Amino acid sequence: MTAHLPDGAALAFGSATASYQIEGATSADGRGPSIWDTFAARPGATRDGKDGSVACDSYHRYPEDVALLADLGVAYYRFSLAWPRIVPAGTGAVEPRGLGYYDRLVDTLLERGVTPTGTFYHWDLPQALEDRGGWLHRDTAYAFADYAMVAYDRLGDRVKVWATHNEPWCAAYLGYAAGVHAPGRREGGDAHRAAHHLNLGHGLAAQRLHEAGCRDVGIVHNLAPIWPEPGTPASAADGVDAVRNRVWLGPLVDGAYDDGVLRVAPVLADPELVRDGDLELVRGSADWLGVNYYTPVRPGPVVPTPQGEERHPETDAYPGVEPVTFHVREPRTHIGWEVEPAGLEELLVESHRRTGLPIMVTENGAAYADETVVDGVVRDADRIAYLDGHIAATERARAAGADVRAYIVWTLLDNFEWAEGYTKRFGIVHIDPATQDRTPKASYRWLQQRLRG
Ligand code: FCB
């Protein structure tokens, strides 16, 4: 049985991962290099100097990982496909062995009764495309749609629910403005070009997926509730909201970049960049919306950048906005993110009101410093409390009328956490990096009990 979007009668559950974070085997079976291979090799790019070349070795151990999902009792598994495995040079030749991996993964999931949902782009851009300008270049959007169709043609008979991009805000602004994610460029306001090309790539792919008969095309955003601290100028708070939320939802819902977006991103008024028809293509192109939520965003009063000092990377991730500070209240997780379930409730209600789309919480979870397994157990009570609080917040949003269909835990396995390397553990299953042993944590057992009764 292949399944579509959950019907929402009850909240459906799932768990999520991403290709570069778990697969490893980065040179197996003809995979081409990605921007994350290149970026992670730069000294200082990741906290522990490590990369995704081994990660959780899920490329080889996927049957074990699928068994963990099936035993957990989740209905859905959200995974991403590595573009450089399927089209190693970004455009042109297709690598059948790369497609073969996802074929086996999908079949194994279906055999075990877990519904796969695929994400085409979770940040592992083929390096060959970055060498030609990456997301700053319009051609990348067309290359993305071509690659998505290659993958869909192979898997679409069994995978019905698809997302184009994961968190394009990170791809555009952490990648091309703050430079803390691959490709590690600091292009200031030019990063808004990347945002437009990501929007365009979504629109082009969605159109072709729909033509091919796909009914459940979505996009996953890390939208955020913006909660300004006292003393924050209204224009700064608006700018943060523009870059984080409206640069994505405006095209999707209204087919336009609004005035507040154009104020901080004047390049989006350039007809050479935003061409006739681009925004119409994006408008109404999603059948569902994925919302990833971890923490609220609290902009604070604007501070002048001290002479000779680097601006805070988070400030650089909002080019064109006055240099605001960002505040984080207690309690925090191990990665330093504030725990605030009310942010998720507000975000879901607001996202549904704004888009009218069915929503899946495509990621939510927490990093805690649970390195050690004691007597075969990892006691992650903090994570259980985090998940419990956020599931309750999701249920409150549903009760308030938000059409939220699923809650998908980030993440199944402790994995490569981007710039943090392996120093932040988000998994409900512990990984021993030396042995690759997988040990379900207390949070896994807790969720299993909740799902299986
Ligand atoms: C999100 C990413 C995901 C993971 C979590 C912690 O921004 O989509 O890959 O790193 O954060």
Side-chain angles (χ1 to χ4, degrees):
M1 237 299 272
T2 48
H4 289 272
L5 213 59
D7 64 12
L11 188 64
F13 282 81
S15 187
T17 61
S19 48
Y20 191 74
Q21 295 182 274
I22 66 158
E23 286 177 359
T26 46
S27 46
D29 293 341
R31 178 187 177 279
S34 84
I35 57 174
W36 267 97
D37 301 294
T38 311
F39 179 70
R42 274 198 209 167
T46 62
R47 190 177 292 273
D48 54 6
K50 299 204 172 121
D51 60 25
S53 55
V54 178
C56 311
D57 193 30
S58 203
Y59 191 74
H60 300 109
R61 293 170 201 254
Y62 70 90
E64 211 183 316
D65 298 338
V66 172
L68 283 164
L69 288 162
D71 292 344
L72 178 60
V74 286
Y76 288 84
Y77 178 47
R78 172 175 179 250
F79 68 100
S80 80
L81 290 78
W83 184 348
R85 283 199 195 283
I86 295 174
V87 187
T91 55
V94 171
E95 173 52 73
R97 290 172 295 175
L99 281 171
Y101 168 66
Y102 296 108
D103 237 355
R104 295 192 295 280
L105 172 65
V106 163
D107 286 344
T108 310
L109 286 162
L110 292 171
E111 275 159 26
R112 296 297 311 262
V114 180
T115 298
T117 88
T119 300
F120 292 113
Y121 187 66
H122 199 128
W123 310 347
D124 37 6
L125 185 73
Q127 181 61 40
L129 291 179
E130 180 55 34
D131 295 342
R132 307 206 293 267
W135 287 108
L136 296 182
H137 204 291
R138 188 174 173 93
D139 288 354
T140 300
Y142 289 87
F144 170 69
D146 288 344
Y147 140 70
M149 292 316 294
V150 169
Y152 181 78
D153 286 346
R154 179 65 173 264
L155 302 169
D157 58 335
R158 286 153 291 154
V159 182
K160 301 297 176 186
V161 180
W162 289 94
T164 53
H165 296 308
N166 176 75
E167 300 191 358
W169 178 82
C170 294
Y173 297 107
L174 298 183
Y176 291 88
V180 296
H181 275 190
R185 295 173 62 175
R186 300 181 61 136
E187 307 289 344
D190 265 358
H192 297 301
R193 293 179 184 276
H196 180 67
H197 293 140
L198 283 151
N199 276 332
L200 177 64
H202 160 80
L204 292 165
Q207 182 180 47
R208 290 174 60 185
L209 289 161
H210 283 136
E211 280 165 11
C214 185
R215 292 201 268 121
D216 290 314
V217 181
I219 183 163
V220 172
H221 285 298
N222 55 332
L223 303 173
I226 309 298
W227 292 348
E229 293 285 329
T232 311
S235 64
D238 185 78
V240 169
D241 182 51
V243 174
R244 186 64 177 258
N245 298 319
R246 278 143 49 207
V247 77
W248 315 109
L249 295 185
L252 195 67
V253 179
D254 307 322
Y257 293 117
D258 68 45
D259 290 346
V261 169
L262 296 177
R263 180 181 67 86
V264 295
V267 71
L268 295 174
D270 176 357
E272 285 290 305
L273 172 66
V274 181
R275 300 197 188 160
D276 277 354
D278 284 5
L279 294 174
E280 287 68 32
L281 189 69
V282 180
R283 188 210 308 244
S285 58
D287 307 301
W288 62 277
L289 178 71
V291 172
N292 291 355
Y293 172 83
Y294 294 90
T295 194
V297 172
R298 299 181 187 272
V302 171
V303 284
T305 309
Q307 277 274 305
E309 250 185 60
E310 292 238 333
R311 279 161 53 135
H312 190 273
E314 241 177 297
T315 303
D316 286 337
Y318 293 88
V321 181
E322 299 89 325
V324 285
T325 49
F326 286 92
H327 293 247
V328 183
R329 298 191 182 177
E330 300 291 342
R332 302 177 189 187
T333 65
H334 189 221
I335 201 168
W337 297 347
E338 176 184 338
V339 179
E340 184 41 283
L344 177 58
E345 181 183 352
E346 178 184 306
L347 183 62
L348 292 172
V349 169
E350 173 56 21
S351 301
H352 180 63
R353 187 200 62 76
R354 177 77 177 100
T355 65
L357 292 171
I359 292 174
M360 297 208 276
V361 178
T362 30
E363 288 181 23
N364 176 248
Y368 286 105
D370 36 14
E371 274 85 34
T372 41
V373 182
V374 182
D375 300 331
V377 186
V378 178
R379 293 182 211 288
D380 57 342
D382 290 345
R383 180 173 293 100
I384 293 174
Y386 184 99
L387 297 176
D388 195 36
H390 287 77
I391 293 167
T394 305
E395 290 288 11
R396 286 197 301 274
R398 278 165 55 88
D403 181 12
V404 184
R405 307 284 179 92
Y407 174 91
I408 301 180
V409 177
W410 184 268
T411 176
L412 182 67
L413 311 168
D414 289 338
N415 61 40
F416 176 75
E417 179 45 41
W418 309 113
E420 301 294 326
Y422 296 91
T423 66
K424 301 296 181 295
R425 292 175 175 268
F426 277 89
I428 55 174
V429 174
H430 175 275
I431 299 268
D432 180 333
T435 60
Q436 292 290 350
D437 283 350
R438 282 127 162 89
T439 308
K441 300 181 188 178
S443 54
Y444 174 101
R445 299 290 174 212
W446 170 84
L447 187 59
Q448 183 179 48
Q449 229 176 0
R450 186 174 174 129
L451 297 176
R452 295 190 170 273

